[in-house]
Amino acid sequence: MGKGVYISKAVAVTCVVAAIGATATIIALSVVYAQERSKNELSPSATADPTTPLPTITTPSTPKEPWQHYRLPDWIVPISYNVTLWPQLEPGKDGLYIFTGNSSVIFRCIKETDLILIHSNMLNLTLFDGHLAKLRGLNGTTAPSMKETWLEFPTQYLVVRLTGKLQAGSTYELHTGFVGELADDLGGFYRSEYEEDGKKRVVATTQMQPTDARKAFPCFDEPAMKAVFHMTLIHPREMVALSNAMNYEPINITMAGQDLMQTSFEPTEKMSTYLLAFVVCDFTYIGTEPGVGVLIRIWARRKAIEEDQGDYALEKTGLVLAFFEKYYNSPYPLTKSDQIALPDFSAGAMENWGLITYRETALLYNSAVSSNGDKEWVARVISHELAHMWFGNLVTTRWWNDLWLNEGFATYVSYLGANQAEPLWDMQDLIVLNEIVGVMAVDALASSHPLSSKEEDVLTPEHIGELFDSITYSKGAAVLRMLSEFITEAVFSRGLHTYLEEFKYSNTVYTDLWKHLQMAVDEAGISLPGTVEVIMNRWILQMGFPVVTIDTQSGKITQKHFLLDPESVVDRPSEFNYEWFVPVTWMKTGGEENQHWLLKKEDTNPAMALGPDDWLVANINMTGFYRVNYDMRNWERLLAKLSSQHQDIPVINRAQLIGDAFNLARAKMVSTTLALRTTKFLLKEIEYMPWETASRNLDYFYLMFDRSEVYGPMQAYIKKQVTPLFMYFKDVTSNWTRIPDKHTDQYNQVNAIAMACSTKVEGCQELTTGWFSQWMKNTSNSISSNLKSVVYCSAIAAGDVEEWDFAWSMYKNATIAAEADKLMYALSCTRQTWLLNRYLQYCLDPEKIRKQDATYVISYIAGNPVGQSLAWDWIRSNWDYLVNDYGSGSFSFGRLIDGVTKRFSTEFEYKQLLQFKEDNAGQLGSATTALEQVLERTKANMDWVTANKKQVLDWFILEASSD
C-alpha cells in the first residue's frame, strides 16, 4: 500500500478534448455571473438566484399542466451526460462561493412531444438567444426551435416548449450553462470547510440523494432515469479531483487569468443521478497498489491519513468486498472503490457508485483514541455502503416508495459483512439491539406507516425525505432477516444472485425480488405455507407487527396488532386486516421445537401445552418481527428460571423477555410490576444484551418519573442491581487497568460505570472525576477509549464551568472526529442551566457547532433532565430560523422533534405540541410525520403515568429495601 495523490495514466483522450471545448462557457459564466443574474431576474423566463429564498408557490391539488406534476413524463429517456463544473473555492467580492458549469444531455424521444421537462433547482441558467437552453438533433435529425423556456419552481423543472414536435425514436442533445452557489447546506454540490495547520481549507463535494443532483446541473433526476455520465472538473493545481469513475491524466489550463487543472473522468456505468458524486479537495489517501484487483483508496484530511486513521477502513474494505462478491455470486461491478471522509456531511455515509462519501466518524478510526463502539460503527457503515454497490446501484428500485428495499436490505446484510470483517464480535446478534428493538417502539404506534407505499403517494421531495426513517432502514432489515431465516440464508443468497443478473443496470419493484426468491425456494424444495409474495406482502404493505400470545395450558396461539397505546385509533386501512403469516420458532424447557406457522388470528398447537415442570420461550433469537406474550403460569416459570438458572435461556431471549414484558406492560397486556420483575435476575447477569435491554426500558421510567417522587426509590433499586456488575468489571479489569477481552463485555463495562455513577454507587464518581481531573492537570489523556464518553459525561455533570470550559476547549481542538463526538455529547451533561443555554446558542453558529451536528447537540441537551425544557423552548423560539437557514438538507427535523419531546407526559405538554403544530403549519417539512408520532406518544405517556405511577412507586420502595 502507498500514500500519495495517485492519478492514473491517460487511457483515452476523447473526453479531455471534449472538456477543453467546454471551458469557454465556463469562463464566460464566471465573468458575467453578476450581470447574468440581474438580467435573468428581470426576464420572463428567469431562473432563481441561488442566494435568495424562493417564493412559496402552491401547486394545484389537481395539476392541469405536465410541468405541475412532480413526476417526469415518459416521453424522454436520457442516454448520457457531459458535465463540466468549476467550483471556485475562494469567495467573490460579495462573499459568496459559487460554481459555474455546463451540461449536455443526449436523450432519446420515446413518444412524440413538443415539451421537454428536466429538473433544475437553485441554478442560475444562462440565456442562449433568449432561452435557458439550446437544443440540437443528432444523427441527421433536425430539432424544432424553441418557443419558450422557464423555470417552474414548485416542481423544480426547467420547462422547454418547442415550436414543433420531437420525433419518437430520434436522439437529441440539450445544452445548458449555469451558475450555482457552493453553499454550506450539505445538499447538491456544496462546500465543506476545515482548518489544518492554522489555515482554513475548503472542499467542494456532493450529496445528491434523494433529489439534489438537480442543484448541481439540470438533469432527469429520478432513479429510473439511468444514464452514462462523462464528468470534468476544473480546480486549483494543488488540489485533487475525484468522481465515480477513474480519472484520465489531468491537464494544466489557464482560465480567467488563473492557472488551473482540468481533470476528466472515464464514463461511468449506466446509473441513477442520485449516485453521482464529485469532490475537489486537498486530501491525500492510503490505498492498495494500482493494477492488483479492485483499486481501494481511503481519502481524508492529510493529518488524518498521516495519523493512520484510514488504516482500519482500508484493511476491512477488501475483506467486505470479497464477502459480498461471494454472497451475491457476482463480481464487483467497478474497477475502483474510493471512500472519502468529509468534515461536513449530513448523513452517516452515501453509497455513490465508486466514490462513497462518509462522515469522518463513519470511516476513520484511531486505535489510541477511538472506542470499540467507534470501530464497530466504521465496520458496519462500510459494510452497509459496499452492500449497495450491487443492491441499489447495479440494480436500483424504480421509485422512492420502495426505498425500504434498498436501505433495509443494506442494513441487514451490513451485519453479515461486518461479521466477516470482525468474526469475534457476534455482529449477527447485535442487529437485534441496534436495529430491531428500537424500531419496534416506532412501529407499535398507530401513526406508523407501511414499509412500501404506492408510487402516487410519494411525490414531492418532502414526501421522499420523510421515508428516510427507522421504519425504512431498521424494520426493512428486520423483515428481510426474518425472511432469510425461514427460507435459509443460502436460498436467500441464490435468489439475490438471479435477481441481480436479470436486472443489472436497470430498475425494479419489490415484487421482482419476491419472484426470484420464490424461484430459489422452489429449486431448493422448501415448503412454505404460501408464496414468498403472499407471506411477505403482509409484512411490507401494512404497518405494525403482531403480538403472539401463547397459552401453555391449552396450546392455543393467537395474534393481534400490537399497539403501545391500546386506546389509539388505527385509521389506516389494511387489505390484510392487520393479520400476518407469522413464523413462530420456540423452545420447550431448553430444547428447540419445530417452527409453527400462525396463519390466522387463532390456532392451536398441542405440543405447546406444557407439563407441570416445563417452560416455553418463543421467537428464538428474535428472528421474527413480533412480540410474545404468555399465560401467567408460563411467565411465572420463566421468572423462576431467570432467578435460578438464567443461562438455560439463550442470551438474546433473556433480553427479549425483558423487552417484551416492558412493552406488553405499556400496552396494558401484562402488569408493570411483572415487567419490573424481569430485571431482578440482573443481580447475577453479566451479559451485555440483557443489561442493555433493561437499561433502555428503564430509561423510559426515568423519562416519565425523574421529575417526580418515584425517582429516589427507583435510583435506590437500580443502584442495588448494578452494584454487583460494577464490582465484577472492577475485578476482571484488575481495578480498571485493563480492557475486557470480549467485544460485548467492553460495551457492558460502559453500562456498569454509567449506571453506577448515575445511582451513586460508592467509588464510581470518584473514579470518573479523578480520571478527568488528571487529564485537566496533565493535558495528557490516559482515559480508556471505551470509557471516555461515560467518564466525560459523569465528570462534567459533577463539575462546574471549569470542567465545561476545559471540555469545550478540547472539543474545538480535537483532530479526531470520534473524540470530538464524545466531547460534544458530554458537554450536554452539565447540570448548570446557563451553560446549557450557552450551548444551545452555539448551535446557531456553524463556526462553533457544525450544521451536521446541531440536531444531535439539541437532542443531547433535551436528554438531560435539566435541559429538556430549555431545548423545547429554544426550538420553538428558533424554528423559523432553523427552517430558513439550515434547510432540510442539513437538518433532520423529524429526529429533532422526536429527541426533544421524549419526556412529554402531561396535558400541558400535549397542548404545547398542538400549538406548535398549529403555529408552524406548512413549514414542518420532514418533521410532519414525526410530530404526529410524538403527539400519539405523548398521549400514551400521559395515560401510562396516570395508570402506573402508584404501583411503580410502591414496587421500587419494596424492592430497594429487600435483601
Side-chain angles (χ1 to χ4, degrees):
M1 58 181 63
K3 296 181 182 180
V5 181
Y6 170 78
I7 301 173
S8 70
K9 297 295 182 184
V11 294
V13 295
T14 52
C15 285
V16 176
V17 173
I20 292 172
T23 59
T25 304
I26 296 288
I27 295 172
L29 283 168
S30 177
V31 172
V32 303
Y33 174 45
Q35 296 95 320
E36 191 65 71
R37 181 172 66 185
S38 174
K39 179 172 64 176
N40 281 354
E41 285 169 351
L42 299 174
S43 166
S45 55
T47 183
D49 173 0
T51 69
T52 56
L54 295 178
T56 300
I57 304 174
T58 303
T59 301
S61 56
T62 306
K64 296 180 179 178
E65 302 293 348
W67 52 82
Q68 293 175 333
H69 291 264
Y70 282 95
R71 294 294 303 275
L72 287 166
D74 59 358
W75 309 327
I76 288 170
V77 173
I79 299 171
S80 66
Y81 294 82
N82 199 315
V83 181
T84 301
L85 296 167
W86 179 14
Q88 298 180 30
L89 304 183
E90 296 286 341
K93 292 180 180 178
D94 54 4
L96 290 177
Y97 290 83
I98 65 166
F99 64 90
T100 56
N102 61 65
S103 173
S104 296
V105 55
I106 296 173
F107 63 86
R108 179 177 294 108
C109 178
I110 303 300
K111 296 179 182 178
E112 193 176 79
T113 181
D114 60 359
L115 181 68
I116 300 172
L117 300 179
I118 186 169
H119 288 110
S120 179
N121 185 31
M122 302 299 288
L123 294 174
N124 198 351
L125 299 179
T126 302
L127 293 172
F128 298 97
D129 298 325
H131 296 292
L132 296 174
K134 55 185 179 181
L135 180 70
R136 69 186 183 100
L138 301 179
N139 303 321
T141 299
T142 301
S145 59
M146 294 193 179
K147 182 178 181 181
E148 59 178 333
T149 60
W150 73 90
L151 284 170
E152 187 69 16
F153 294 126
T155 47
Q156 301 178 352
Y157 287 134
L158 163 61
V159 183
V160 179
R161 296 187 72 177
L162 306 170
T163 57
K165 292 186 180 294
L166 302 174
Q167 300 303 307
S170 296
T171 55
Y172 303 85
E173 182 182 65
L174 185 73
H175 181 82
T176 53
F178 46 86
V179 179
E181 184 185 358
L182 195 68
D184 62 352
D185 60 357
L186 309 183
F189 198 17
Y190 73 91
R191 181 179 87 254
S192 174
E193 298 178 358
Y194 66 101
E195 280 195 13
E196 198 164 72
D197 297 326
K199 179 181 177 183
K200 184 176 89 168
R201 301 182 187 274
V202 178
V203 177
T205 185
T206 56
Q207 171 57 31
M208 306 305 197
Q209 191 185 42
T211 58
D212 279 341
R214 64 193 70 174
K215 288 178 65 178
F217 61 97
C219 55
F220 299 98
D221 197 12
E222 292 188 359
M225 293 291 189
K226 290 192 171 187
V228 173
F229 295 85
H230 304 263
M231 293 299 307
T232 295
L233 295 171
I234 296 167
H235 54 93
R237 291 183 180 178
E238 68 275 13
M239 302 184 89
V240 65
L242 302 169
S243 190
N244 303 78
M246 202 64 197
N247 58 284
Y248 297 121
E249 188 73 23
I251 61 173
N252 292 328
I253 61 171
T254 301
M255 288 177 54
Q258 298 183 48
D259 293 332
L260 299 167
M261 183 172 283
Q262 180 173 277
T263 301
S264 295
F265 298 85
E266 297 173 3
T268 68
E269 299 291 347
K270 187 179 178 184
M271 57 184 275
S272 303
T273 49
Y274 80 86
L275 295 170
L276 196 64
F278 30 89
V279 179
V280 172
C281 61
D282 187 33
F283 289 0
T284 188
Y285 76 92
I286 183 171
T288 58
E289 292 298 327
V292 182
V294 175
L295 177 64
I296 299 169
R297 299 183 295 188
I298 309 299
W299 296 84
R301 294 176 290 107
R302 290 180 178 274
K303 281 200 170 181
I305 294 298
E306 289 166 6
E307 293 170 356
D308 300 327
Q309 293 183 45
D311 289 10
Y312 181 73
L314 180 64
E315 175 191 344
K316 299 305 177 183
T317 294
L319 288 173
V320 176
L321 273 179
F323 167 77
F324 282 127
E325 285 188 317
K326 183 178 179 181
Y327 184 71
Y328 295 124
N329 190 20
S330 175
Y332 177 67
L334 308 177
T335 60
K336 62 121 173 160
S337 176
D338 279 327
Q339 300 182 86
I340 186 166
L342 297 165
D344 298 283
F345 193 72
S346 60
M350 177 61 209
E351 65 269 19
N352 314 299
W353 215 5
L355 177 56
I356 304 172
T357 45
Y358 293 81
R359 277 190 181 219
E360 289 193 342
T361 51
L363 187 66
L364 304 181
Y365 172 77
N366 183 307
S367 58
V369 176
S370 304
S371 68
N372 70 319
D374 299 327
K375 193 175 188 179
E376 183 193 309
W377 179 240
V378 170
R380 277 203 284 130
V381 176
I382 288 174
S383 184
H384 180 109
E385 304 311 323
L386 293 179
H388 276 308
M389 299 300 105
W390 291 263
F391 203 99
N393 297 8
L394 181 65
V395 178
T396 311
T397 51
R398 185 172 70 194
W399 184 240
W400 298 107
N401 63 307
D402 278 336
L403 177 68
W404 74 273
L405 185 59
N406 190 10
E407 296 298 349
F409 177 85
T411 301
Y412 166 52
V413 299
S414 71
Y415 286 84
L416 308 184
N419 194 64
Q420 182 73 17
E422 298 287 356
L424 301 180
W425 284 3
D426 295 327
M427 287 303 302
Q428 287 162 287
D429 292 344
L430 287 175
I431 191 174
V432 173
L433 284 179
N434 294 342
E435 311 294 341
I436 298 171
V437 170
V439 77
M440 278 184 147
V442 179
D443 205 28
L445 298 174
S447 53
S448 186
H449 63 84
L451 276 169
S452 187
S453 308
K454 295 178 181 178
E455 283 195 39
E456 58 268 26
D457 292 338
V458 181
L459 296 175
T460 70
E462 291 76 19
H463 290 157
I464 295 166
E466 285 191 53
L467 292 178
F468 287 80
D469 65 1
S470 61
I471 297 292
T472 291
Y473 284 77
S474 299
K475 182 180 179 179
V479 299
L480 290 170
R481 171 177 176 258
M482 178 175 64
L483 168 60
S484 73
E485 285 288 334
F486 69 70
I487 68 172
T488 75
E489 193 70 50
V491 171
F492 189 72
S493 177
R494 282 200 293 274
L496 291 175
H497 169 69
T498 59
Y499 169 81
L500 293 170
E501 281 299 304
E502 179 174 347
F503 296 108
K504 57 187 176 185
Y505 305 110
S506 61
N507 297 83
T508 63
V509 294
Y510 74 88
T511 52
D512 294 319
L513 179 61
W514 295 164
K515 169 189 164 187
H516 280 267
L517 292 175
Q518 186 64 49
M519 289 164 50
V521 165
D522 293 343
E523 184 181 324
I526 292 175
S527 176
L528 296 175
T531 64
V532 170
E533 181 171 357
V534 166
I535 295 169
M536 293 306 296
N537 279 359
R538 285 163 170 75
W539 294 95
I540 69 163
L541 298 181
Q542 60 183 352
M543 69 179 189
F545 57 89
V547 53
V548 173
T549 300
I550 300 173
D551 186 334
T552 62
Q553 297 183 66
S554 64
K556 182 180 177 182
I557 318 170
T558 62
Q559 64 163 295
K560 178 184 177 183
H561 183 193
F562 180 74
L563 294 167
L564 276 176
D565 179 5
E567 310 301 322
S568 58
V569 177
V570 177
D571 54 13
R572 185 189 294 270
S574 166
E575 62 180 294
F576 306 109
N577 297 315
Y578 291 102
E579 293 180 28
W580 291 263
F581 284 7
V582 188
V584 181
T585 56
W586 60 292
M587 65 164 47
K588 181 164 67 175
T589 319
E592 195 161 342
E593 304 286 339
N594 291 330
Q595 177 175 279
H596 178 91
W597 280 97
L598 179 60
L599 306 178
K600 49 191 177 181
K601 277 193 178 295
E602 294 186 7
D603 198 2
T604 300
N605 183 343
M608 290 182 177
L610 302 184
D613 299 321
D614 291 328
W615 51 269
L616 183 152
V617 171
N619 198 9
I620 303 304
N621 293 326
M622 285 191 72
T623 54
F625 193 67
Y626 55 90
R627 295 208 177 274
V628 185
N629 192 13
Y630 308 97
D631 60 286
M632 273 308 301
R633 182 179 297 183
N634 192 59
W635 271 117
E636 291 294 344
R637 290 172 178 174
L638 290 172
L639 290 170
K641 176 54 65 176
L642 288 173
S643 178
S644 60
Q645 294 171 301
H646 62 278
Q647 297 95 335
D648 287 357
I649 300 174
V651 64
I652 294 178
N653 288 102
R654 300 203 295 271
Q656 175 216 5
L657 287 170
I658 296 171
D660 280 352
F662 274 89
N663 282 274
L664 291 167
R666 287 182 64 184
K668 302 177 183 177
M669 299 182 73
V670 300
S671 70
T672 300
T673 53
L674 171 67
L676 289 168
R677 288 171 64 197
T678 64
T679 68
K680 293 181 68 174
F681 84 98
L682 293 174
L683 274 168
K684 298 181 290 186
E685 178 66 85
I686 60 171
E687 291 291 343
Y688 168 65
M689 294 186 74
W691 267 106
E692 179 65 16
T693 304
S695 174
R696 292 184 191 181
N697 282 283
L698 289 169
D699 277 348
Y700 178 72
F701 283 65
Y702 275 109
L703 291 172
M704 295 301 100
F705 296 131
D706 63 6
R707 297 172 287 178
S708 78
E709 67 272 26
V710 178
Y711 181 70
M714 179 168 61
Q715 284 282 83
Y717 171 73
I718 295 172
K719 177 181 179 179
K720 172 186 161 185
Q721 296 300 97
V722 79
T723 297
L725 187 71
F726 180 75
M727 299 309 295
Y728 167 80
F729 279 108
K730 181 180 179 181
D731 181 52
V732 299
T733 62
S734 302
N735 200 23
W736 315 107
T737 60
R738 54 178 296 273
I739 299 170
D741 295 328
K742 192 174 165 186
H743 182 61
T744 50
D745 281 352
Q746 294 178 42
Y747 284 156
N748 215 24
Q749 181 190 20
V750 175
N751 272 340
I753 294 175
M755 297 177 78
C757 282
S758 68
T759 57
K760 305 291 192 295
V761 170
E762 184 178 351
C764 187
Q765 189 166 295
E766 293 81 0
L767 185 71
T768 58
T769 55
W771 283 333
F772 196 83
S773 296
Q774 188 177 13
W775 181 28
M776 290 177 67
K777 290 174 185 174
N778 301 336
T779 67
S780 176
N781 191 344
S782 60
I783 303 168
S784 168
S785 299
N786 290 343
L787 304 181
K788 282 181 174 180
S789 186
V790 65
V791 170
Y792 295 170
C793 181
S794 178
I796 289 171
D800 208 325
V801 64
E802 184 181 0
E803 286 79 8
W804 200 95
D805 284 346
F806 173 78
W808 175 256
S809 174
M810 293 299 100
Y811 168 73
K812 292 304 293 179
N813 291 310
T815 59
I816 297 169
E819 175 73 357
D821 272 10
K822 293 177 180 65
L823 287 161
M824 183 174 69
Y825 163 70
L827 287 162
S828 73
C829 296
T830 179
R831 296 192 176 100
Q832 305 297 318
T833 55
W834 72 275
L835 287 172
L836 291 173
N837 268 320
R838 182 169 80 176
Y839 201 19
L840 282 167
Q841 289 306 117
Y842 285 179
C843 293
L844 298 177
D845 183 355
E847 294 294 319
K848 290 185 169 69
I849 301 295
R850 291 182 179 274
K851 288 187 175 185
Q852 67 172 15
D853 296 325
T855 304
Y856 296 99
V857 170
I858 299 164
S859 294
Y860 291 156
I861 292 170
N864 182 336
V866 178
Q868 192 275 320
S869 60
L870 301 177
W872 174 234
D873 291 344
W874 187 89
I875 282 176
R876 287 183 293 166
S877 298
N878 291 280
W879 187 259
D880 287 346
Y881 170 83
L882 296 174
V883 170
N884 293 329
D885 191 71
Y886 279 68
S888 59
S890 61
F891 236 84
S892 173
F893 294 119
R895 182 173 62 218
L896 187 62
I897 291 296
D898 175 72
V900 298
T901 59
K902 286 186 183 296
R903 274 187 173 78
F904 282 16
S905 58
T906 67
E907 183 71 28
F908 178 70
E909 288 164 332
Y910 185 77
K911 288 179 178 177
Q912 283 187 322
L913 280 170
L914 290 174
Q915 188 63 50
F916 178 77
K917 177 181 178 181
E918 181 181 331
D919 293 344
N920 296 284
Q923 56 174 350
L924 289 168
S926 61
T928 303
T929 298
L931 183 57
E932 293 303 319
Q933 292 171 342
V934 165
L935 282 163
E936 183 184 350
R937 181 178 68 194
T938 302
K939 197 76 171 64
N941 290 346
M942 292 161 55
D943 294 342
W944 186 86
V945 169
T946 300
N948 289 282
K949 184 176 181 180
K950 184 181 185 308
Q951 62 174 314
V952 167
L953 175 61
D954 292 344
W955 192 89
F956 278 131
I957 290 172
L958 177 65
E959 292 298 328
S961 60
S962 65
D963 293 330

